[in-house]
Amino acid sequence: MLTATKSTKIKLNSENITKEFADTLSSKIKVGDIIFLYGEIGVGKTTFVKYLINIIEKKNKLEPSEVTSPTFNILNEYQIKQIKINHYDLFRLKSVNEVKNLGLFDDSSRSITLIEWPQLIQEKPKNLIELTFTYENDYQIRTVQVKGLN
């Protein structure tokens, strides 16, 4: 099993390793946590989110949902028994004011909040975990850098 600590870089050489990383993280995160996901288009942010949500569903004895990118509707919500997961994709937003109007953190103490493309967010919230997905070695290797995990 992969180990994620406060500042770890993990190679994601396959979807199975991405799923294993999501499984590891699912046991470390809790309601109230906010996860920023940084990285280029196609680097694996949404794939990671899909595995994370599906693993949490499985642990709660629920069938896996179809998890898609909320690029066009900005937010997808998942209710997993007592756990609410808000999955945002801010890619299409162009200004700080657009971000402020979303009320991203209004419900954060009662949910797990996942935010792809969080670059426009000016004030970092408490309980923040940052995942930076990158390509390396001329797009041959994908990695994720973990920051802020207790």
Side-chain angles (χ1 to χ4, degrees), residues 93-103 120-122:
L93 302 186
K94 303 296 180 218
S95 74
V96 172
N97 285 336
E98 287 179 296
V99 172
K100 286 179 182 176
N101 290 337
L102 290 176
L120 288 174
I121 298 171
Q122 293 183 322

Side-chain angles (χ1 to χ4, degrees), residues 24-113:
T24 299
L25 198 65
S26 74
S27 65
K28 296 180 181 291
I29 62 173
K30 59 194 175 311
V31 172
D33 283 343
I34 298 166
I35 302 173
F36 285 3
L37 297 104
Y38 299 94
E40 296 178 51
I41 291 175
V43 76
K45 298 179 301 293
T46 303
T47 298
F48 165 78
V49 168
K50 173 185 79 168
Y51 285 128
L52 181 66
I53 290 170
N54 288 165
I55 287 165
I56 293 170
E57 288 170 328
K58 183 178 177 183
K59 287 180 178 181
N60 283 277
K61 298 177 175 44
L62 297 172
E63 291 294 316
S65 299
E66 181 178 342
V67 177
T68 59
S69 174
T71 301
F72 295 103
N73 53 339
I74 300 175
L75 169 64
N76 289 340
E77 295 176 322
Y78 302 88
Q79 189 68 47
I80 304 170
K81 294 194 176 180
Q82 302 303 317
I83 303 166
K84 180 179 177 188
I85 298 178
N86 294 319
H87 177 204
Y88 291 93
D89 185 324
L90 308 183
F91 181 75
R92 293 185 317 116
L93 302 186
K94 303 296 180 218
S95 74
V96 172
N97 285 336
E98 287 179 296
V99 172
K100 286 179 182 176
N101 290 337
L102 290 176
L104 292 173
F105 308 121
D106 293 350
D107 190 25
S108 65
S109 67
R110 297 186 310 265
S111 61
I112 296 170
T113 303

